[in-house]
Amino acid sequence: MSDSPATNVVIAVDGPAASGKSSVSRRVANRLGYAFVSTGLMYRAFTWVVCEAGIDPESDPEGVVAVLEKTDIQPDRRGNEIFLRVNGEDPGDALTSDRINSRVSIVAKIPDVRQALVKQQRASAHASDIVMEGRDIGSVVFPDTPYKFYLDASEEVRAQRRAAQGLGDEIAERDRMDANRKVSPLKVAEGATVIDTSDLSLDEVVETLLSHLAKQGLIPNA
Ligand code: CDP
């Protein structure tokens, strides 16, 4: 699989947990007819494999790397969304379980894991134009794309959004780990447009992104 830079358009959307990245990115992708990729779901899918193997990523990072070496990771395109199949399986709803929420940031800070998944992420831009969301898309995965956004929201608003989804999730703890890790920490990429979504509706954030892309000349003015 080639790891060369994409020739297609990549719109990178980064930000902390529950900042609205997935919902906004999915809508922008639908509006533009691009594919949508949630890289968080990729880290979650591999974390699921680690859990199923009975490995504790905190105490046994070498065990995680051993699992990685044995895991068959394949892209799985469904409609205009690209997911991962791990060992032929789609973990489905298990990806957003408490078990995964509490371990994913520990797994995601392991360099070998990031290297393997970044390769999958870059490959997904070979087949089509994409909107990709995550933590390091504009800074590491596609640093050369001119279309970069960083969505933020106050910690309080983000905690409310996650609770409204009915999910127990220590987002402050995940943000702390994601922002402080050595490899590819969560940060505003150079050249990214920062949007504070605390007081904006989903539609307003989508329109803000689209109007910015129109100003950049990627799409016609609405
Ligand atoms: O949806 P939410 O913002 O809660 O999280 P997510 O996007 O599903 O990402 C889950 C976790 O995966 C993050 O907390 C990070 O630890 C990790 N992740 C990452 O390290 N790099 C990415 N590009 C995307 C996610």
Side-chain angles (χ1 to χ4, degrees), residues 16-20 24 150-161 194-202 204-205 208:
S19 55
V24 167
Y150 185 94
L151 303 190
D152 213 343
S154 71
E155 198 172 309
E156 194 188 353
V157 166
R158 293 188 292 109
Q160 280 166 4
R161 288 179 184 164
V194 180
I195 303 171
D196 185 340
T197 71
S198 304
D199 299 318
L200 299 178
S201 68
L202 193 51
E204 286 171 328
V205 183
T208 306

Side-chain angles (χ1 to χ4, degrees), residues 10-191:
V10 174
I11 300 173
V13 183
D14 290 304
S19 55
K21 301 177 306 289
S22 295
S23 314
V24 167
S25 302
R26 184 177 278 117
R27 286 194 190 198
V28 169
N30 284 338
R31 288 275 287 271
L32 301 181
Y34 290 11
F36 164 69
V37 186
S38 161
T39 60
L41 284 183
M42 294 184 169
Y43 287 97
R44 288 170 182 274
F46 177 64
T47 302
W48 178 81
V49 179
V50 171
C51 290
E52 292 295 295
I55 301 289
D56 172 11
E58 183 89 73
S59 62
D60 188 10
E62 291 84 6
V64 173
V65 175
V67 171
L68 178 68
E69 281 160 8
K70 286 187 295 191
T71 305
D72 177 40
I73 298 175
Q74 298 291 338
D76 179 20
R77 187 164 179 143
R78 282 176 250 155
N80 75 338
E81 302 202 13
I82 301 168
F83 301 90
L84 287 187
R85 281 190 98 73
V86 280
N87 295 330
E89 290 199 62
D90 160 26
D93 288 347
L95 293 179
T96 49
S97 66
D98 291 353
R99 185 168 77 139
I100 304 297
N101 283 337
S102 63
R103 290 171 176 79
V104 60
S105 293
I106 303 167
V107 171
K109 70 181 181 189
I110 300 173
D112 292 42
V113 173
R114 302 204 70 81
Q115 203 182 5
L117 296 190
V118 166
K119 191 171 174 178
Q120 293 288 337
Q121 292 156 17
R122 290 188 177 142
S124 60
H126 291 150
S128 54
D129 297 330
I130 55 169
V131 181
M132 181 175 282
E133 60 97 352
R135 302 290 187 290
D136 58 343
I137 312 308
S139 58
V140 172
V141 185
F142 292 111
D144 296 333
T145 181
Y147 313 113
K148 299 182 189 183
F149 297 91
Y150 185 94
L151 303 190
D152 213 343
S154 71
E155 198 172 309
E156 194 188 353
V157 166
R158 293 188 292 109
Q160 280 166 4
R161 288 179 184 164
R162 198 42 49 105
Q165 292 174 311
L167 299 170
D169 189 0
E170 296 296 329
I171 59 173
E173 177 60 10
R174 272 203 293 129
D175 287 346
R176 194 189 57 72
M177 279 195 266
D178 293 343
N180 289 307
R181 68 180 172 226
K182 286 204 186 74
V183 184
S184 310
L186 167 68
K187 64 173 182 187
V188 180
E190 207 183 310

